[in-house]
Amino acid sequence: MNKKLQVFVSSTYLDLKNERQKAVEGILRSKHIPAGMELFIPSDKTQWEIIKEWIKDSDLLLLILGGRYGSIEPDSGKSYTHLEYEFALSNNIPVIAIVLNAQFLANKKSKKIELKVYEHEGENPSLEKYNSFKEIVMSNLVSVVEDINQISTEVSLALQEFMRKDDSEYHFRGWVRGKERPNPIEMSIKHNINNYIDDKKRQGLVKKTLDSYLSELQIFQSHYKSILIDEIDTAKIKEFLRYREDNYSISSKLTMENIRSILKTFFDWLVQEDIIDSNPVNKVKPYKFQKRVNQGLNNTEIKEIRNACETPRERALLEILLSTGCQLSELGEIYLRDIDWSNKTINIDSGGSNRVTFLTPTAEKYLNYYLKTRNDNLDNLFVTERRPYRQIGQRAIQREIVKIVSRTNISKNISPRTFRDTFARIMLDRGYQLNLVEELLGYHSKSGRTVTYFKITNGNIWEIIKPRPNF
């Protein structure tokens, strides 16, 4: 397969125009594709957002480091060259680094005295940042050059080495002619599932969701085994869904719709990545099921459940669920160190992304009461009732809720999710905007109408949420 790699060229610009041109010559000579900021067209997006998109779409980043640090990106305080280098490494994009040595820079300055070759020649020099960045670059594998003609040679040699290891180590996506068929490894179901899960993980999907996706897709892979991903058509999707329903004794249409949705999302990604031309799941009709509408508890039901609590732990558990709207998986992962008593807030870890929410006065009162009754040294917010004390599990929390509700006359099904819905209902009823409630719940809507323009922190929470809610 005649694969061409896309190489993003990163460097300061005005002082290294000729060097960039030599690098591009080396890329083209090796029959690969160069990309760089000088090729970009105007856009409504910020410069850094565009750069990140191009780097993520590239197979390699080629850094040319001279004597300048470069233009500073306002938010980070780092140069774009520095940010590009860090972004490539953080996204597992291999880097070719070429460093111009002292003799190279001295010769360059002597040939064109008015050219600003060194960082100290700039209007607002960033010598410390430049030296720090250069130290980072030099700590990895680099090619140090003394003459401009060495650049294209070093680039060509590096590209040859990367291509030599492509099948065994890198598996570059690259560019291929439309008529050329990718190799079987790249088109295998397993290979694409692994790439898909990795991509979604980098996008920040929580572990629970990733595990659900992976589990279902592995069943799909096991069912079709050696079939290549582009050989999967609508008929095979329907056949697999029948297999799942019949062989796994699935009676719930909701469960089958979840399976269909996972497959659709996976094949949507394959289309977006130009691995396949169209999504075979699109022609499979969604399963019809009765949607459960749960708007949470009303005020009478909240009062009845509160009165049904018999222990300090039960009441504290109830009030924390109502106060934070946290998920069941999040509640078990809250620690005492996550509570800011002076600021009346709790930091919640949601699969690696943190958010700040508040303690209502009622929740603060009953949580304090519960903690005073504890006889352990654990940092967990909720622990088991009996020795040996340990972190309370998700099923134990569910059992606690069932036990409390069993003492009431409420007939509807109540779970930890019910309190999350109740939190949302109360906040919306009190006039708080939807995007604020979504931020408190840890949602990040892509809808233009509900986009959150702020990040709630300990420093601004009580400026945004006035007055301190209590319910």
Side-chain angles (χ1 to χ4, degrees):
M1 180 177 58
N2 187 20
K3 183 189 295 184
K4 297 181 184 297
L5 304 183
Q6 180 170 302
V7 184
F8 186 94
V9 182
S10 172
S11 75
T12 50
Y13 185 65
L14 293 177
D15 58 318
L16 296 180
K17 284 185 178 180
N18 294 335
E19 288 75 9
R20 289 177 69 90
Q21 184 57 40
K22 284 293 181 182
V24 169
E25 288 176 12
I27 295 169
L28 294 173
R29 183 190 302 166
S30 303
K31 298 183 179 181
H32 296 291
I33 304 169
M37 276 303 295
E38 67 271 26
L39 303 176
F40 294 2
I41 59 174
S43 169
D44 291 335
K45 295 184 179 180
T46 65
Q47 181 177 350
W48 177 230
E49 290 301 316
I50 298 172
I51 292 172
K52 287 195 291 185
E53 288 180 8
W54 273 81
I55 294 176
K56 286 192 74 173
D57 286 339
S58 297
D59 301 289
L60 295 163
L61 182 135
L62 168 60
L63 170 68
I64 306 173
L65 183 61
R68 301 292 303 276
Y69 186 59
S71 302
I72 303 295
E73 193 275 327
D75 292 337
S76 65
K78 297 179 180 179
S79 72
Y80 285 100
T81 307
H82 191 165
L83 288 173
E84 288 162 4
Y85 183 84
E86 288 183 338
F87 185 78
L89 292 180
S90 67
N91 284 274
N92 291 327
I93 296 172
V95 173
I96 303 171
I98 293 178
V99 177
L100 313 183
N101 70 7
Q103 188 60 53
F104 189 114
L105 297 176
N107 292 341
K108 187 177 180 67
K109 184 67 177 178
S110 66
K111 291 176 183 177
K112 196 172 183 179
I113 195 66
E114 71 276 11
L115 182 66
K116 295 177 180 178
V117 172
Y118 300 101
E119 182 59 23
H120 65 77
E121 296 177 309
E123 294 180 3
N124 297 297
S126 302
L127 284 172
E128 290 185 7
K129 291 181 179 180
Y130 168 78
N131 290 331
S132 176
F133 177 45
K134 185 173 182 179
E135 184 176 345
I136 293 171
V137 174
M138 294 299 291
S139 67
N140 295 305
L141 187 63
V142 301
S143 296
V144 179
V145 299
E146 185 173 310
D147 181 83
I148 192 169
N149 293 315
Q150 289 178 257
I151 294 176
S152 59
T153 302
E154 292 294 334
V155 170
S156 296
L157 290 173
L159 289 172
Q160 288 175 21
E161 183 64 15
F162 276 116
M163 288 303 295
R164 188 179 68 81
K165 296 181 179 179
D166 183 20
D167 289 340
S168 62
E169 184 173 346
Y170 295 107
H171 308 293
F172 292 119
R173 183 172 47 185
W175 293 89
V176 295
R177 290 182 179 274
K179 294 182 180 180
E180 290 190 30
R181 182 174 178 79
N183 66 45
I185 294 177
E186 293 179 343
M187 294 306 291
S188 70
I189 296 175
K190 180 179 180 180
H191 175 76
N192 283 285
I193 288 173
N194 290 340
N195 286 346
Y196 170 70
I197 295 298
D198 181 68
D199 196 24
K200 293 303 175 184
K201 182 178 180 181
R202 294 176 188 281
Q203 290 176 16
L205 262 67
V206 298
K207 185 177 184 300
K208 184 177 180 181
T209 302
L210 288 171
D211 290 345
S212 173
Y213 284 5
L214 181 59
S215 175
E216 189 57 50
L217 292 173
Q218 284 177 336
I219 296 174
F220 182 76
Q221 171 201 331
S222 176
H223 182 65
Y224 282 118
K225 296 179 181 176
S226 60
I227 294 178
L228 300 183
I229 198 70
D230 60 348
E231 295 174 352
I232 302 293
D233 56 14
T234 301
K236 286 186 171 60
I237 296 293
K238 290 181 177 179
E239 189 276 328
F240 172 74
L241 291 171
R242 289 193 296 270
Y243 162 78
R244 283 289 279 125
E245 189 169 9
D246 296 341
N247 289 269
Y248 287 77
S249 301
I250 300 175
S251 58
S252 168
K253 296 304 178 185
L254 174 58
T255 300
M256 289 306 301
E257 176 56 20
N258 287 336
I259 295 171
R260 190 196 71 88
S261 297
I262 290 173
L263 291 174
K264 184 180 184 306
T265 305
F266 172 54
F267 280 91
D268 277 341
W269 178 83
L270 292 170
V271 173
Q272 292 168 6
E273 296 293 314
D274 294 324
I275 297 168
I276 60 176
D277 295 327
S278 61
N279 187 340
V281 188
N282 286 342
K283 294 182 180 180
V284 179
K285 293 182 179 180
Y287 289 81
K288 294 182 179 180
F289 57 92
Q290 186 175 1
K291 294 183 179 179
R292 296 177 181 176
V293 179
N294 190 349
Q295 295 182 350
L297 303 167
N298 59 41
N299 293 338
T300 301
E301 290 168 334
I302 294 173
K303 183 177 180 179
E304 189 173 352
I305 292 176
R306 278 173 165 159
N307 291 336
C309 293
E310 295 181 348
T311 67
R313 187 178 75 156
E314 288 181 351
R315 186 62 187 269
L317 187 66
L318 171 68
E319 297 301 340
I320 289 297
L321 285 169
L322 279 172
S323 177
T324 64
C326 66
Q327 299 183 64
L328 175 62
S329 60
E330 296 170 338
L331 181 61
E333 297 300 322
I334 299 177
Y335 297 88
L336 296 176
R337 62 177 179 270
D338 296 322
I339 302 176
D340 186 335
W341 292 102
S342 61
N343 210 34
K344 318 301 182 188
T345 59
I346 297 182
N347 183 67
I348 295 178
D349 184 351
S350 178
S353 62
N354 295 328
R355 71 178 186 276
V356 172
T357 188
F358 56 81
L359 277 172
T360 63
T362 303
E364 181 186 8
K365 172 185 173 182
Y366 285 98
L367 182 58
N368 262 313
Y369 184 36
Y370 161 64
L371 293 176
K372 288 177 181 177
T373 67
R374 292 216 342 221
N375 296 311
D376 62 86
N377 295 318
L378 297 176
D379 191 37
N380 305 95
L381 185 59
F382 290 101
V383 298
T384 55
E385 285 188 295
R386 298 179 180 83
R387 287 188 171 89
Y389 298 117
R390 59 193 182 280
Q391 177 182 9
I392 189 170
Q394 292 185 27
R395 290 192 176 183
I397 295 172
Q398 290 173 316
R399 286 195 294 269
E400 289 288 319
I401 299 300
V402 171
K403 186 166 61 175
I404 296 170
V405 174
S406 69
R407 305 184 193 121
T408 71
N409 295 317
I410 300 172
S411 58
K412 68 182 182 184
N413 182 41
I414 296 176
S415 67
R417 174 58 190 249
T418 308
F419 296 98
R420 185 170 169 85
D421 294 335
T422 304
F423 171 87
R425 177 191 62 80
I426 293 174
M427 292 295 286
L428 292 173
D429 286 349
R430 295 193 176 190
Y432 291 99
Q433 294 181 356
L434 176 60
N435 58 343
L436 171 61
V437 177
E438 286 180 333
E439 178 72 12
L440 289 168
L441 290 172
Y443 293 129
H444 300 286
S445 174
K446 296 181 180 179
S447 168
R449 295 182 180 179
T450 59
V451 64
T452 300
Y453 293 104
F454 51 80
K455 176 70 176 176
I456 295 177
T457 66
N458 262 334
N460 66 15
I461 187 167
W462 299 124
E463 295 176 9
I464 296 172
I465 305 172
K466 296 179 181 178
R468 181 184 175 194
N470 194 24
F471 41 80

